[in-house]
Short mmCIF file of all heavy atoms in Angstrom, two decimals:
data_model
loop_
_atom_site.label_atom_id
_atom_site.label_comp_id
_atom_site.label_asym_id
_atom_site.label_seq_id
_atom_site.Cartn_x
_atom_site.Cartn_y
_atom_site.Cartn_z
N MET A 1 122.03 62.47 81.52
CA MET A 1 123.00 63.08 80.63
C MET A 1 122.90 62.39 79.28
O MET A 1 122.64 61.20 79.19
CB MET A 1 124.40 62.92 81.22
CG MET A 1 124.59 63.69 82.51
SD MET A 1 126.20 63.43 83.31
CE MET A 1 127.34 63.73 82.01
N LYS A 2 123.13 63.15 78.24
CA LYS A 2 123.12 62.58 76.89
C LYS A 2 124.47 61.97 76.53
O LYS A 2 124.54 61.10 75.67
CB LYS A 2 122.75 63.67 75.88
CG LYS A 2 121.31 64.11 76.04
CD LYS A 2 120.94 65.15 75.01
CE LYS A 2 119.50 65.58 75.21
NZ LYS A 2 119.07 66.52 74.21
N SER A 3 125.50 62.42 77.21
CA SER A 3 126.82 61.87 76.93
C SER A 3 127.48 61.53 78.27
O SER A 3 127.58 62.40 79.14
CB SER A 3 127.67 62.89 76.19
OG SER A 3 128.96 62.38 75.94
N PRO A 4 127.85 60.30 78.51
CA PRO A 4 127.73 59.18 77.57
C PRO A 4 126.27 58.77 77.41
O PRO A 4 125.45 58.95 78.32
CB PRO A 4 128.55 58.06 78.22
CG PRO A 4 128.60 58.41 79.67
CD PRO A 4 128.50 59.89 79.76
N ALA A 5 125.98 58.21 76.26
CA ALA A 5 124.61 57.82 75.93
C ALA A 5 124.14 56.67 76.82
O ALA A 5 124.96 55.85 77.26
CB ALA A 5 124.54 57.41 74.47
N PRO A 6 122.84 56.62 77.10
CA PRO A 6 122.32 55.45 77.83
C PRO A 6 122.58 54.17 77.03
O PRO A 6 122.72 54.21 75.81
CB PRO A 6 120.81 55.72 77.90
CG PRO A 6 120.64 57.16 77.61
CD PRO A 6 121.79 57.56 76.75
N SER A 7 122.65 53.05 77.73
CA SER A 7 122.86 51.78 77.02
C SER A 7 121.91 50.74 77.59
O SER A 7 121.40 50.86 78.70
CB SER A 7 124.31 51.33 77.14
OG SER A 7 124.65 51.09 78.47
N LEU A 8 121.68 49.70 76.81
CA LEU A 8 120.75 48.65 77.14
C LEU A 8 121.43 47.30 77.01
O LEU A 8 122.14 47.05 76.05
CB LEU A 8 119.55 48.73 76.17
CG LEU A 8 118.41 47.77 76.38
CD1 LEU A 8 117.63 48.13 77.64
CD2 LEU A 8 117.49 47.82 75.17
N LEU A 9 121.23 46.45 78.01
CA LEU A 9 121.82 45.12 78.01
C LEU A 9 120.70 44.09 78.12
O LEU A 9 119.91 44.12 79.07
CB LEU A 9 122.78 44.97 79.20
CG LEU A 9 123.43 43.61 79.41
CD1 LEU A 9 124.38 43.29 78.26
CD2 LEU A 9 124.18 43.59 80.73
N TYR A 10 120.59 43.21 77.14
CA TYR A 10 119.62 42.13 77.18
C TYR A 10 120.19 41.02 78.04
O TYR A 10 121.28 40.55 77.81
CB TYR A 10 119.34 41.57 75.77
CG TYR A 10 118.60 42.55 74.89
CD1 TYR A 10 119.28 43.42 74.06
CD2 TYR A 10 117.21 42.60 74.91
CE1 TYR A 10 118.61 44.32 73.25
CE2 TYR A 10 116.53 43.49 74.11
CZ TYR A 10 117.23 44.36 73.28
OH TYR A 10 116.55 45.24 72.49
N GLU A 11 119.39 40.58 79.04
CA GLU A 11 119.87 39.55 79.96
C GLU A 11 119.28 38.18 79.66
O GLU A 11 119.89 37.18 79.95
CB GLU A 11 119.57 39.95 81.39
CG GLU A 11 120.37 41.16 81.81
CD GLU A 11 120.55 41.22 83.30
OE1 GLU A 11 119.55 41.10 84.03
OE2 GLU A 11 121.69 41.38 83.72
N GLY A 12 118.08 38.14 79.09
CA GLY A 12 117.50 36.83 78.77
C GLY A 12 115.99 36.88 78.73
O GLY A 12 115.37 37.91 78.96
N PHE A 13 115.43 35.71 78.42
CA PHE A 13 113.98 35.55 78.36
C PHE A 13 113.52 34.80 79.59
O PHE A 13 114.10 33.80 79.98
CB PHE A 13 113.57 34.75 77.11
CG PHE A 13 113.81 35.49 75.84
CD1 PHE A 13 114.93 35.26 75.08
CD2 PHE A 13 112.90 36.43 75.39
CE1 PHE A 13 115.16 35.93 73.90
CE2 PHE A 13 113.11 37.11 74.21
CZ PHE A 13 114.24 36.87 73.47
N GLY A 14 112.45 35.28 80.21
CA GLY A 14 111.83 34.61 81.33
C GLY A 14 110.50 34.03 80.90
O GLY A 14 110.11 34.14 79.73
N ASP A 15 109.78 33.42 81.82
CA ASP A 15 108.47 32.86 81.51
C ASP A 15 107.50 33.93 81.03
O ASP A 15 106.68 33.70 80.16
CB ASP A 15 107.87 32.16 82.73
CG ASP A 15 108.63 30.90 83.09
OD1 ASP A 15 109.32 30.34 82.21
OD2 ASP A 15 108.54 30.48 84.26
N ASN A 16 107.58 35.10 81.63
CA ASN A 16 106.64 36.18 81.32
C ASN A 16 107.35 37.51 81.11
O ASN A 16 106.76 38.56 81.35
CB ASN A 16 105.63 36.32 82.47
CG ASN A 16 104.85 35.06 82.70
OD1 ASN A 16 104.08 34.67 81.85
ND2 ASN A 16 105.08 34.42 83.82
N ALA A 17 108.59 37.47 80.66
CA ALA A 17 109.34 38.72 80.55
C ALA A 17 110.56 38.58 79.66
O ALA A 17 111.03 37.48 79.40
CB ALA A 17 109.80 39.15 81.94
N ILE A 18 111.02 39.72 79.21
CA ILE A 18 112.34 39.84 78.60
C ILE A 18 113.14 40.66 79.60
O ILE A 18 112.77 41.80 79.92
CB ILE A 18 112.28 40.54 77.23
CG1 ILE A 18 111.43 39.73 76.27
CG2 ILE A 18 113.69 40.75 76.70
CD1 ILE A 18 111.19 40.43 74.94
N SER A 19 114.19 40.12 80.13
CA SER A 19 114.98 40.80 81.16
C SER A 19 116.00 41.72 80.50
O SER A 19 116.78 41.30 79.65
CB SER A 19 115.70 39.78 82.04
OG SER A 19 114.76 38.98 82.71
N LEU A 20 115.97 42.97 80.94
CA LEU A 20 116.86 43.99 80.41
C LEU A 20 117.50 44.77 81.56
O LEU A 20 116.94 44.85 82.64
CB LEU A 20 116.08 45.01 79.56
CG LEU A 20 115.17 44.50 78.47
CD1 LEU A 20 114.29 45.65 77.99
CD2 LEU A 20 115.98 43.93 77.34
N LYS A 21 118.64 45.35 81.29
CA LYS A 21 119.23 46.33 82.20
C LYS A 21 119.46 47.59 81.38
O LYS A 21 119.99 47.54 80.27
CB LYS A 21 120.58 45.85 82.74
CG LYS A 21 120.46 44.93 83.91
CD LYS A 21 121.79 44.71 84.59
CE LYS A 21 121.63 43.77 85.75
NZ LYS A 21 122.90 43.54 86.44
N VAL A 22 119.04 48.71 81.95
CA VAL A 22 119.22 50.00 81.30
C VAL A 22 120.22 50.78 82.13
O VAL A 22 120.06 50.93 83.34
CB VAL A 22 117.89 50.78 81.20
CG1 VAL A 22 118.11 52.14 80.57
CG2 VAL A 22 116.86 49.97 80.42
N PHE A 23 121.25 51.27 81.48
CA PHE A 23 122.27 52.08 82.15
C PHE A 23 122.15 53.52 81.69
O PHE A 23 122.04 53.80 80.49
CB PHE A 23 123.67 51.56 81.81
CG PHE A 23 123.90 50.14 82.28
CD1 PHE A 23 123.64 49.06 81.45
CD2 PHE A 23 124.37 49.90 83.56
CE1 PHE A 23 123.84 47.76 81.87
CE2 PHE A 23 124.58 48.60 84.00
CZ PHE A 23 124.31 47.53 83.16
N PHE A 24 122.13 54.44 82.65
CA PHE A 24 122.07 55.87 82.33
C PHE A 24 122.94 56.62 83.34
O PHE A 24 123.28 56.10 84.40
CB PHE A 24 120.62 56.39 82.34
CG PHE A 24 119.93 56.22 83.67
CD1 PHE A 24 119.98 57.24 84.62
CD2 PHE A 24 119.23 55.06 83.98
CE1 PHE A 24 119.34 57.09 85.85
CE2 PHE A 24 118.59 54.91 85.20
CZ PHE A 24 118.65 55.93 86.12
N TRP A 25 123.30 57.81 82.98
CA TRP A 25 124.19 58.61 83.83
C TRP A 25 123.51 59.91 84.21
O TRP A 25 122.72 60.46 83.44
CB TRP A 25 125.49 58.89 83.07
CG TRP A 25 126.32 57.65 82.94
CD1 TRP A 25 127.40 57.30 83.70
CD2 TRP A 25 126.13 56.57 82.01
NE1 TRP A 25 127.89 56.08 83.31
CE2 TRP A 25 127.13 55.60 82.27
CE3 TRP A 25 125.23 56.31 81.00
CZ2 TRP A 25 127.25 54.43 81.57
CZ3 TRP A 25 125.33 55.13 80.29
CH2 TRP A 25 126.33 54.21 80.58
N THR A 26 123.81 60.38 85.42
CA THR A 26 123.26 61.65 85.90
C THR A 26 124.39 62.54 86.40
O THR A 26 125.49 62.05 86.72
CB THR A 26 122.27 61.42 87.07
OG1 THR A 26 122.99 60.91 88.18
CG2 THR A 26 121.16 60.47 86.67
N LYS A 27 124.11 63.79 86.47
CA LYS A 27 125.10 64.72 87.01
C LYS A 27 125.17 64.59 88.53
O LYS A 27 126.23 64.70 89.11
CB LYS A 27 124.74 66.16 86.64
CG LYS A 27 124.94 66.46 85.18
CD LYS A 27 124.61 67.91 84.89
CE LYS A 27 124.78 68.16 83.39
NZ LYS A 27 124.50 69.55 83.05
N GLU A 28 124.02 64.33 89.15
CA GLU A 28 123.94 64.20 90.59
C GLU A 28 123.36 62.83 90.95
O GLU A 28 122.32 62.44 90.41
CB GLU A 28 123.04 65.29 91.19
CG GLU A 28 123.53 66.69 90.96
CD GLU A 28 124.78 67.03 91.74
OE1 GLU A 28 124.97 66.47 92.84
OE2 GLU A 28 125.57 67.85 91.25
N PHE A 29 123.97 62.11 91.86
CA PHE A 29 123.51 60.78 92.25
C PHE A 29 122.06 60.82 92.77
O PHE A 29 121.28 59.93 92.52
CB PHE A 29 124.44 60.18 93.32
CG PHE A 29 124.01 58.81 93.76
CD1 PHE A 29 124.21 57.71 92.94
CD2 PHE A 29 123.37 58.62 94.98
CE1 PHE A 29 123.80 56.44 93.33
CE2 PHE A 29 122.96 57.37 95.38
CZ PHE A 29 123.18 56.27 94.55
N GLY A 30 121.70 61.87 93.46
CA GLY A 30 120.37 62.01 94.03
C GLY A 30 119.26 62.07 93.00
O GLY A 30 118.10 61.86 93.32
N GLU A 31 119.60 62.35 91.76
CA GLU A 31 118.61 62.42 90.67
C GLU A 31 118.25 61.04 90.13
O GLU A 31 117.25 60.89 89.43
CB GLU A 31 119.16 63.25 89.50
CG GLU A 31 119.46 64.69 89.83
CD GLU A 31 120.13 65.40 88.66
OE1 GLU A 31 120.51 64.74 87.67
OE2 GLU A 31 120.26 66.62 88.73
N SER A 32 119.03 60.02 90.43
CA SER A 32 118.87 58.72 89.78
C SER A 32 117.51 58.07 90.05
O SER A 32 116.92 57.46 89.15
CB SER A 32 120.00 57.78 90.15
OG SER A 32 120.00 57.53 91.54
N GLY A 33 116.98 58.19 91.26
CA GLY A 33 115.69 57.60 91.58
C GLY A 33 114.56 58.19 90.75
O GLY A 33 113.70 57.48 90.21
N LYS A 34 114.55 59.52 90.63
CA LYS A 34 113.51 60.21 89.84
C LYS A 34 113.65 59.86 88.37
O LYS A 34 112.66 59.59 87.69
CB LYS A 34 113.64 61.72 90.05
CG LYS A 34 112.83 62.56 89.11
CD LYS A 34 111.51 62.96 89.70
CE LYS A 34 110.77 63.97 88.86
NZ LYS A 34 110.05 63.45 87.75
N ILE A 35 114.87 59.81 87.87
CA ILE A 35 115.09 59.49 86.46
C ILE A 35 114.65 58.05 86.18
O ILE A 35 114.01 57.76 85.16
CB ILE A 35 116.56 59.72 86.07
CG1 ILE A 35 116.86 61.22 86.12
CG2 ILE A 35 116.86 59.14 84.69
CD1 ILE A 35 118.30 61.58 85.97
N LYS A 36 114.97 57.12 87.08
CA LYS A 36 114.55 55.72 86.91
C LYS A 36 113.03 55.63 86.87
O LYS A 36 112.46 54.94 86.01
CB LYS A 36 115.11 54.86 88.04
CG LYS A 36 114.71 53.40 87.94
CD LYS A 36 115.32 52.60 89.09
CE LYS A 36 114.86 51.15 89.03
NZ LYS A 36 115.42 50.37 90.14
N SER A 37 112.35 56.32 87.78
CA SER A 37 110.90 56.33 87.80
C SER A 37 110.33 56.90 86.49
O SER A 37 109.41 56.32 85.90
CB SER A 37 110.40 57.14 88.99
OG SER A 37 108.99 57.24 88.99
N ASP A 38 110.87 58.01 86.04
CA ASP A 38 110.43 58.63 84.78
C ASP A 38 110.64 57.69 83.60
O ASP A 38 109.79 57.60 82.70
CB ASP A 38 111.17 59.94 84.52
CG ASP A 38 110.78 61.05 85.49
OD1 ASP A 38 109.76 60.90 86.20
OD2 ASP A 38 111.52 62.06 85.55
N LEU A 39 111.73 56.97 83.61
CA LEU A 39 112.03 56.02 82.55
C LEU A 39 111.02 54.88 82.52
O LEU A 39 110.49 54.52 81.47
CB LEU A 39 113.45 55.46 82.71
CG LEU A 39 113.93 54.45 81.68
CD1 LEU A 39 113.92 55.05 80.29
CD2 LEU A 39 115.33 53.97 82.04
N ILE A 40 110.70 54.33 83.68
CA ILE A 40 109.71 53.24 83.76
C ILE A 40 108.34 53.74 83.30
O ILE A 40 107.63 53.04 82.57
CB ILE A 40 109.65 52.67 85.20
CG1 ILE A 40 110.95 51.92 85.51
CG2 ILE A 40 108.45 51.74 85.38
CD1 ILE A 40 111.13 51.57 86.97
N ILE A 41 107.95 54.93 83.72
CA ILE A 41 106.67 55.51 83.29
C ILE A 41 106.66 55.69 81.78
O ILE A 41 105.67 55.36 81.11
CB ILE A 41 106.40 56.83 84.03
CG1 ILE A 41 106.11 56.54 85.51
CG2 ILE A 41 105.24 57.60 83.40
CD1 ILE A 41 106.12 57.77 86.40
N SER A 42 107.73 56.18 81.20
CA SER A 42 107.81 56.38 79.75
C SER A 42 107.71 55.07 78.99
O SER A 42 107.03 54.98 77.96
CB SER A 42 109.11 57.09 79.38
OG SER A 42 109.13 58.39 79.91
N ILE A 43 108.38 54.03 79.49
CA ILE A 43 108.31 52.72 78.83
C ILE A 43 106.89 52.18 78.90
O ILE A 43 106.34 51.67 77.92
CB ILE A 43 109.32 51.74 79.47
CG1 ILE A 43 110.75 52.17 79.13
CG2 ILE A 43 109.06 50.31 79.02
CD1 ILE A 43 111.82 51.44 79.92
N THR A 44 106.26 52.30 80.07
CA THR A 44 104.87 51.83 80.24
C THR A 44 103.94 52.56 79.28
O THR A 44 103.09 51.95 78.63
CB THR A 44 104.41 52.04 81.70
OG1 THR A 44 105.30 51.33 82.56
CG2 THR A 44 102.99 51.56 81.91
N GLN A 45 104.08 53.86 79.15
CA GLN A 45 103.25 54.65 78.24
C GLN A 45 103.50 54.25 76.78
O GLN A 45 102.56 54.15 76.00
CB GLN A 45 103.50 56.14 78.43
CG GLN A 45 102.95 56.66 79.74
CD GLN A 45 103.35 58.10 80.03
OE1 GLN A 45 104.28 58.64 79.45
NE2 GLN A 45 102.66 58.71 80.98
N ALA A 46 104.75 53.99 76.42
CA ALA A 46 105.07 53.57 75.05
C ALA A 46 104.45 52.21 74.76
O ALA A 46 103.91 51.99 73.67
CB ALA A 46 106.59 53.52 74.86
N PHE A 47 104.49 51.29 75.72
CA PHE A 47 103.85 49.99 75.54
C PHE A 47 102.35 50.15 75.32
O PHE A 47 101.77 49.57 74.41
CB PHE A 47 104.10 49.08 76.75
CG PHE A 47 105.44 48.41 76.76
CD1 PHE A 47 106.45 48.78 75.88
CD2 PHE A 47 105.72 47.42 77.67
CE1 PHE A 47 107.69 48.14 75.89
CE2 PHE A 47 106.94 46.77 77.71
CZ PHE A 47 107.92 47.14 76.80
N ARG A 48 101.70 50.96 76.16
CA ARG A 48 100.25 51.18 76.02
C ARG A 48 99.92 51.81 74.68
O ARG A 48 98.96 51.40 74.02
CB ARG A 48 99.74 52.05 77.16
CG ARG A 48 99.66 51.32 78.47
CD ARG A 48 99.04 52.18 79.56
NE ARG A 48 99.06 51.46 80.82
CZ ARG A 48 99.19 52.04 82.00
NH1 ARG A 48 99.31 53.35 82.08
NH2 ARG A 48 99.20 51.32 83.10
N SER A 49 100.69 52.80 74.27
CA SER A 49 100.45 53.48 72.99
C SER A 49 100.56 52.53 71.81
O SER A 49 99.91 52.71 70.79
CB SER A 49 101.44 54.63 72.80
OG SER A 49 101.24 55.61 73.78
N ASN A 50 101.43 51.54 71.94
CA ASN A 50 101.65 50.57 70.86
C ASN A 50 100.91 49.25 71.09
O ASN A 50 101.19 48.25 70.43
CB ASN A 50 103.15 50.32 70.68
CG ASN A 50 103.83 51.54 70.11
OD1 ASN A 50 103.71 51.80 68.92
ND2 ASN A 50 104.51 52.32 70.95
N LYS A 51 99.98 49.26 72.06
CA LYS A 51 99.14 48.09 72.38
C LYS A 51 99.97 46.85 72.70
O LYS A 51 99.65 45.74 72.30
CB LYS A 51 98.15 47.83 71.26
CG LYS A 51 97.20 49.00 71.07
CD LYS A 51 96.23 48.76 69.97
CE LYS A 51 95.35 50.02 69.86
NZ LYS A 51 94.48 50.02 68.74
N ILE A 52 101.07 47.06 73.42
CA ILE A 52 101.90 45.95 73.88
C ILE A 52 101.45 45.61 75.30
O ILE A 52 101.46 46.45 76.19
CB ILE A 52 103.40 46.33 73.87
CG1 ILE A 52 103.84 46.64 72.46
CG2 ILE A 52 104.24 45.22 74.49
CD1 ILE A 52 105.24 47.24 72.36
N VAL A 53 101.03 44.36 75.49
CA VAL A 53 100.52 43.92 76.79
C VAL A 53 101.53 42.97 77.41
O VAL A 53 101.99 42.04 76.76
CB VAL A 53 99.16 43.20 76.62
CG1 VAL A 53 98.65 42.72 77.96
CG2 VAL A 53 98.15 44.13 75.96
N MET A 54 101.87 43.22 78.66
CA MET A 54 102.79 42.35 79.37
C MET A 54 102.00 41.21 79.99
O MET A 54 101.05 41.45 80.74
CB MET A 54 103.52 43.13 80.48
CG MET A 54 104.40 44.25 79.96
SD MET A 54 105.71 43.69 78.88
CE MET A 54 106.69 42.74 79.98
N PRO A 55 102.37 39.96 79.72
CA PRO A 55 101.65 38.82 80.32
C PRO A 55 102.04 38.66 81.79
O PRO A 55 103.14 39.00 82.19
CB PRO A 55 102.13 37.63 79.50
CG PRO A 55 103.47 38.03 79.02
CD PRO A 55 103.42 39.53 78.83
N PHE A 56 101.10 38.16 82.55
CA PHE A 56 101.35 37.89 83.95
C PHE A 56 101.11 36.41 84.21
O PHE A 56 100.26 35.79 83.57
CB PHE A 56 100.44 38.74 84.85
CG PHE A 56 100.76 40.20 84.79
CD1 PHE A 56 100.06 41.05 83.95
CD2 PHE A 56 101.79 40.72 85.54
CE1 PHE A 56 100.36 42.40 83.89
CE2 PHE A 56 102.11 42.07 85.47
CZ PHE A 56 101.39 42.90 84.65
N PRO A 57 101.82 35.82 85.15
CA PRO A 57 101.62 34.41 85.44
C PRO A 57 100.17 34.16 85.88
O PRO A 57 99.56 35.00 86.53
CB PRO A 57 102.57 34.10 86.59
CG PRO A 57 103.47 35.27 86.71
CD PRO A 57 102.83 36.41 86.00
N GLN A 58 99.65 33.01 85.53
CA GLN A 58 98.29 32.66 85.90
C GLN A 58 98.26 31.24 86.45
O GLN A 58 98.96 30.37 85.94
CB GLN A 58 97.38 32.74 84.67
CG GLN A 58 95.96 32.34 84.93
CD GLN A 58 95.11 32.46 83.69
OE1 GLN A 58 95.33 33.31 82.86
NE2 GLN A 58 94.12 31.60 83.59
N GLN A 59 97.46 31.04 87.46
CA GLN A 59 97.27 29.71 88.03
C GLN A 59 95.78 29.47 88.17
O GLN A 59 95.02 30.37 88.54
CB GLN A 59 97.92 29.59 89.42
CG GLN A 59 99.41 29.63 89.39
CD GLN A 59 100.00 29.44 90.77
OE1 GLN A 59 99.32 29.49 91.78
NE2 GLN A 59 101.30 29.23 90.82
N ASP A 60 95.34 28.28 87.87
CA ASP A 60 93.96 27.88 88.06
C ASP A 60 93.88 27.04 89.32
O ASP A 60 94.68 26.11 89.51
CB ASP A 60 93.44 27.07 86.87
CG ASP A 60 93.40 27.90 85.60
OD1 ASP A 60 93.16 29.12 85.70
OD2 ASP A 60 93.59 27.33 84.52
N ILE A 61 92.92 27.35 90.18
CA ILE A 61 92.74 26.61 91.42
C ILE A 61 91.35 25.99 91.39
O ILE A 61 90.36 26.68 91.16
CB ILE A 61 92.90 27.53 92.65
CG1 ILE A 61 94.30 28.13 92.67
CG2 ILE A 61 92.60 26.76 93.94
CD1 ILE A 61 94.51 29.17 93.73
N TYR A 62 91.29 24.70 91.60
CA TYR A 62 90.03 23.98 91.65
C TYR A 62 89.77 23.54 93.09
O TYR A 62 90.64 22.92 93.72
CB TYR A 62 90.06 22.75 90.74
CG TYR A 62 90.27 23.12 89.29
CD1 TYR A 62 91.54 23.14 88.74
CD2 TYR A 62 89.18 23.47 88.50
CE1 TYR A 62 91.73 23.49 87.42
CE2 TYR A 62 89.36 23.83 87.17
CZ TYR A 62 90.64 23.83 86.63
OH TYR A 62 90.82 24.19 85.32
N ILE A 63 88.60 23.87 93.63
CA ILE A 63 88.27 23.53 95.00
C ILE A 63 87.15 22.48 94.96
O ILE A 63 86.11 22.68 94.34
CB ILE A 63 87.81 24.77 95.78
CG1 ILE A 63 88.95 25.80 95.79
CG2 ILE A 63 87.39 24.39 97.20
CD1 ILE A 63 88.57 27.14 96.39
N HIS A 64 87.41 21.37 95.61
CA HIS A 64 86.43 20.29 95.68
C HIS A 64 85.92 20.19 97.11
O HIS A 64 86.71 20.24 98.06
CB HIS A 64 87.06 18.96 95.27
CG HIS A 64 87.56 18.97 93.85
ND1 HIS A 64 86.72 18.81 92.78
CD2 HIS A 64 88.79 19.15 93.33
CE1 HIS A 64 87.42 18.88 91.67
NE2 HIS A 64 88.69 19.10 91.97
N ASN A 65 84.62 20.03 97.26
CA ASN A 65 84.00 19.91 98.56
C ASN A 65 84.22 18.48 99.08
O ASN A 65 83.70 17.52 98.51
CB ASN A 65 82.51 20.24 98.46
CG ASN A 65 81.84 20.26 99.80
OD1 ASN A 65 82.34 19.73 100.78
ND2 ASN A 65 80.67 20.90 99.85
N ALA A 66 84.94 18.31 100.15
CA ALA A 66 85.26 16.99 100.69
C ALA A 66 84.02 16.32 101.29
O ALA A 66 83.93 15.11 101.35
CB ALA A 66 86.35 17.08 101.74
N ASN A 67 83.04 17.10 101.74
CA ASN A 67 81.82 16.54 102.34
C ASN A 67 80.81 16.08 101.29
O ASN A 67 79.91 15.34 101.60
CB ASN A 67 81.16 17.58 103.25
CG ASN A 67 82.02 17.92 104.45
OD1 ASN A 67 82.75 17.05 104.95
ND2 ASN A 67 81.98 19.15 104.89
N ASN A 68 80.95 16.54 100.08
CA ASN A 68 80.01 16.19 99.02
C ASN A 68 80.80 15.95 97.74
O ASN A 68 80.71 16.72 96.80
CB ASN A 68 78.98 17.30 98.84
CG ASN A 68 77.88 16.91 97.88
OD1 ASN A 68 77.72 15.75 97.56
ND2 ASN A 68 77.13 17.91 97.45
N PRO A 69 81.61 14.89 97.70
CA PRO A 69 82.43 14.65 96.52
C PRO A 69 81.57 14.34 95.30
O PRO A 69 80.47 13.84 95.41
CB PRO A 69 83.29 13.45 96.90
CG PRO A 69 82.53 12.77 98.00
CD PRO A 69 81.74 13.84 98.70
N GLU A 70 82.09 14.71 94.15
CA GLU A 70 81.39 14.42 92.91
C GLU A 70 81.30 12.91 92.70
O GLU A 70 82.23 12.18 93.01
CB GLU A 70 82.14 15.04 91.72
CG GLU A 70 82.16 16.55 91.76
CD GLU A 70 82.92 17.11 90.57
OE1 GLU A 70 82.98 16.45 89.52
OE2 GLU A 70 83.47 18.19 90.72
N LYS A 71 80.16 12.47 92.18
CA LYS A 71 79.99 11.03 91.91
C LYS A 71 80.80 10.64 90.70
O LYS A 71 80.80 11.35 89.71
CB LYS A 71 78.51 10.71 91.66
CG LYS A 71 77.65 10.85 92.88
CD LYS A 71 76.23 10.46 92.55
CE LYS A 71 75.36 10.61 93.77
NZ LYS A 71 73.97 10.25 93.48
N LYS A 72 81.51 9.54 90.82
CA LYS A 72 82.28 9.03 89.69
C LYS A 72 81.67 7.71 89.28
O LYS A 72 81.42 6.84 90.13
CB LYS A 72 83.74 8.87 90.06
CG LYS A 72 84.43 10.16 90.32
CD LYS A 72 85.90 9.95 90.60
CE LYS A 72 86.56 11.27 90.89
NZ LYS A 72 87.98 11.12 91.16
N GLU A 73 81.37 7.55 88.04
CA GLU A 73 80.77 6.28 87.56
C GLU A 73 81.71 5.57 86.64
O GLU A 73 82.50 6.04 85.98
CB GLU A 73 79.45 6.57 86.87
CG GLU A 73 78.46 7.17 87.85
CD GLU A 73 77.12 7.43 87.18
OE1 GLU A 73 76.76 6.72 86.21
OE2 GLU A 73 76.43 8.34 87.62
#
């Protein structure tokens, strides 16, 4: 529904995100899942169109062979 208008609440900054809550209203409760999905798809497309990349957490893992340890001098 256009009235009342959707609203956005900023919740905070995370390590790899800006946390938001989007509030919207529907005429029928059963429509909310489809509308939420459409909204997420639209936001994703807008990010791609504007070359906005969402960072993802990264971890580096180093594996050392216990049977053949590196020589330390």
Side-chain angles (χ1 to χ4, degrees):
M1 294 175 51
K2 292 182 181 183
S3 179
S7 62
L8 183 70
L9 176 66
Y10 291 93
E11 294 204 310
F13 291 98
D15 291 338
N16 301 293
I18 298 173
S19 298
L20 309 168
K21 278 192 181 180
V22 178
F23 297 92
F24 60 91
W25 289 260
T26 66
K27 289 182 182 181
E28 298 290 330
F29 180 75
E31 298 174 351
S32 62
K34 169 96 171 81
I35 292 171
K36 179 179 177 180
S37 176
D38 291 346
L39 180 60
I40 291 168
I41 290 168
S42 295
I43 291 169
T44 302
Q45 289 172 343
F47 280 11
R48 286 184 184 148
S49 296
N50 290 284
K51 298 180 182 172
I52 297 171
V53 179
M54 297 299 294
F56 292 97
Q58 178 179 329
Q59 292 183 349
D60 296 327
I61 299 173
Y62 298 94
I63 300 173
H64 298 281
N65 186 342
N67 295 326
N68 187 15
E70 294 180 27
K71 291 182 181 179
K72 294 184 181 180
E73 297 182 28

